[in-house]
Amino acid sequence: MTAFRVAVLPGDGIGPEVTRAAMSVLSAACAVDGVRLETSEHAIGGAAVRSLGSPLPAGTLAACQGADAVFLGAVGDPAFENEPRERKPETGLLALRRGLGVFANIRPARVLPGLENLGPLKPEVAAGLDVVIVRELLGGLYFGEPRGFDRAAGRAVNSLVYTKDEVVRIAEVAFRIAEGRRGLVTSVDKANVLETSVLWRETVIEVGKRFPSVRLEHQYVDSCAMALVLTPAHFDVVLTENLFGDILSDEAGALVGSLGLLPSASLGAGPGLFEPVHGSAPALAGRDVANPVGAILSAALLAREGLSLEGVARRIEGAVTRALSGGRTADLAGGGNAVSASRFTANVLECLEPALTSRESRSGGC
Ligand code: NAD
Ligand code: IPM
Ligand code: MN
C-alpha cells in the first residue's frame, strides 16, 4: 500500500506544539483506518531564518511541492519585527502560498451545539452560527505591485489589484461550497469606494448565474463585520478578498469562543496547505496552554480535502467534539477549571476510538 506524503512545517511560537498535537491525532486516526502516512518536517518562518537564513528555504518549498499535502503550525516571531521584509517569518508563509498556488482559503467557523455559551455572544444569538469564509489568498493588497516604503520621503505604497480571472476562480469555489450547504453566498466588498470591488461584484454576479440553486447577496465589509456579531446565524458562505477575509476570519474566531478553534484549508491545483487560522501567539508558547483544536481540525481538513480520506476526517472531527464536552483549554474555560493542552490532546486521542480504551482509564468524557 502506498503511503500519503505529508510535509509538516511546525514554524514558530505555539506552531510546533499545536503541530505535534495535530500530527499525533492525524496519525492515530489514519492508523485506525489502515492508512499509511509518511511525514517529513521542514523549517519555515523565524525558525528557518535562524537555522537557514531564509523564511522559506528552497528545500522547504520543494518538499511541499512534492508532497500530497502540507501542514503548517504558525509563523511569526517578535524578534524579527524590525527586520527587512525578506527576513520576516510572514514573508515565508506568503511565498509558500504563492509557490503552491493555493488561491482558495476555506475557513469554516461553527458554534458546536451545547457550547453556545463559550463566546461573547448571548447563547441564543450564537446558536446556529455555522459559516464558511472563502477568502481569496493570492491577490489584493498582499501581492499587488507596486509596493514599497520610501522612508526618506515618509511615503509607503501598497496596491490593491484584482483581475477578473482571479475573482472568477474564487467565486466558483464559494458557489460550489454553498451548493452543498444552505445555498447562500454573501459576497463581501467595498464597492461603494473601490474599483477592485466593483470588478469583484460584477464578476461574482456573472459567476452566480451558473449556480441557479444558490442565492447571492452582497454586503459592504464594514456592515458585514457588524452583521456577523448581530445576526451570525444568517451567514452560510462568505466570499471575500484577501485582506477582508483575513480580518473577518479572526472576528469569526472571537464569535465561536476562541481563535484557537478555527481550522483552514488553502487549495489550488497542486498540494493543499492546511493550517489553523491563528498565529504563533508568542505569549502562550511553551506553556502547554495553547488550544490545539484549530490545528487538529486543520488535520481533519487535510485528510478530507488533501488526501480524500473522508472517514479519517469525520473520525477526527467527532473525537474533537466529544473531547470538547469533557474538558477545555484555558481560552474556553471561562475562568473555570481548564485542562492543559496536552491533556486535551490525550482526550481527543481517546475519543478517536473509545471502544479501544478501557472505561477506567478514560478521562476526557469518551
Ligand atoms: P495570534 O493569532 O497569534 O494571537 C491572537 C490572540 O489569540 C492572542 O490573544 C492569542 O493568545 C490568542 N490565540 C491564538 N491562538 C490561540 C490558541 N491556539 N489557543 C488559545 N489562544 C490563542 O495573532 P497575533 O498575536 O496578532 O500574531 C502573533 C504572530 O503570529 C505575528 O507574528 C503574526 O504575524 C503571526 N500570525 C501568523 C499566522 C499564521 O502563521 N498563519 C496567522 C496569524 C498571525
Ligand atoms: C493568516 C495570517 C497571515 C495572513 C499572515 C501571518 C501573513 O494572519 O493566515 O490569517 O495575513 O494571511
Ligand atoms: Mn490572519
Side-chain angles (χ1 to χ4, degrees), residues 90 93-94 97 107 135 142 246 277:
E90 292 81 356
L93 175 55
L94 297 178
R97 288 173 179 169
R107 296 183 156 186
R135 170 191 178 194
Y142 279 65
D246 179 44
V277 172

Side-chain angles (χ1 to χ4, degrees), residues 14-365:
I14 62 171
E17 51 203 89
V18 298
T19 297
R20 217 174 302 125
M23 287 304 109
S24 68
V25 172
L26 180 64
S27 312
C30 283
V32 175
D33 284 357
V35 174
R36 275 184 52 216
L37 277 190
E38 223 169 66
T39 58
S40 59
E41 264 195 28
H42 308 276
I44 193 168
V49 178
R50 285 203 171 84
S51 59
L52 297 162
S54 156
L56 182 66
T60 297
L61 178 58
C64 293
Q65 286 168 332
D68 294 311
V70 182
F71 185 92
L72 174 108
V75 298
D77 181 332
F80 294 92
E81 219 166 81
N82 300 316
E83 296 271 339
R85 192 152 60 93
E86 61 277 11
R87 278 174 60 83
K88 279 199 195 297
E90 292 81 356
T91 302
L93 175 55
L94 297 178
L96 177 64
R97 288 173 179 169
R98 182 133 79 165
L100 291 174
V102 288
F103 66 89
N105 184 213
I106 319 287
R107 296 183 156 186
R110 192 156 85 90
V111 169
L112 296 171
L115 303 183
E116 295 87 354
N117 55 349
L118 291 183
L121 299 176
K122 290 186 198 120
E124 64 272 23
V125 176
L129 195 182
D130 181 358
V131 63
V132 176
I133 295 176
V134 177
R135 170 191 178 194
E136 199 293 323
L137 202 58
L138 295 181
L141 281 165
Y142 279 65
F143 294 95
E145 297 287 347
R147 65 184 293 162
F149 187 1
D150 184 341
R151 201 170 285 279
R155 185 172 185 274
V157 63
N158 290 98
S159 301
L160 175 44
V161 185
Y162 268 107
T163 63
K164 185 167 178 179
D165 289 352
E166 287 173 316
V167 184
V168 167
R169 66 180 183 177
I170 191 69
E172 287 172 346
V173 171
F175 281 104
R176 262 184 241 120
I177 292 175
E179 277 181 330
R181 289 173 50 95
R182 282 177 286 132
L184 173 65
V185 166
T186 305
S187 176
V188 176
D189 62 36
K190 189 74 185 172
N192 47 348
V193 176
L194 303 173
E195 283 79 3
T196 44
S197 280
V198 176
L199 172 72
W200 182 278
R201 192 176 280 216
E202 286 177 7
T203 307
V204 171
I205 290 171
E206 207 176 299
V207 173
K209 293 193 177 124
R210 288 193 268 126
F211 297 85
S213 67
V214 177
R215 190 160 73 81
L216 170 64
E217 64 174 19
H218 307 273
Q219 287 188 11
Y220 296 133
V221 62
D222 47 354
S223 170
C224 176
M226 188 177 74
L228 268 171
V229 177
L230 294 178
T231 52
H234 164 78
F235 293 91
D236 182 18
V237 175
V238 168
L239 162 64
T240 193
E241 64 94 50
N242 205 343
L243 183 62
F244 297 162
D246 179 44
I247 296 168
L248 294 179
S249 54
D250 272 33
E251 184 183 349
L255 297 179
V256 300
S258 170
L259 186 52
L261 289 172
L262 297 193
S264 89
S266 302
L267 307 175
L273 170 63
F274 301 85
E275 51 169 322
V277 172
H278 66 72
S280 59
L284 305 183
R287 295 171 42 209
D288 201 16
V289 294
N291 193 336
V293 168
I296 295 171
L297 292 178
S298 298
L301 293 180
L302 186 153
R304 172 178 294 118
E305 307 288 344
L307 308 178
S308 301
L309 297 171
E310 178 65 25
V312 171
R314 286 198 186 185
R315 187 181 292 282
I316 295 173
E317 288 163 350
V320 167
T321 306
R322 287 193 290 280
L324 275 172
S325 63
R328 297 183 278 275
T329 45
D331 53 324
L332 293 175
N337 283 343
V339 300
S340 68
S342 49
R343 178 67 254 171
F344 179 79
T345 302
N347 292 349
V348 176
L349 286 165
E350 279 178 16
C351 290
L352 278 177
E353 178 101 288
L356 291 186
T357 318
S358 73
R359 188 163 290 284
E360 303 74 58
S361 70
R362 281 186 238 151
S363 55

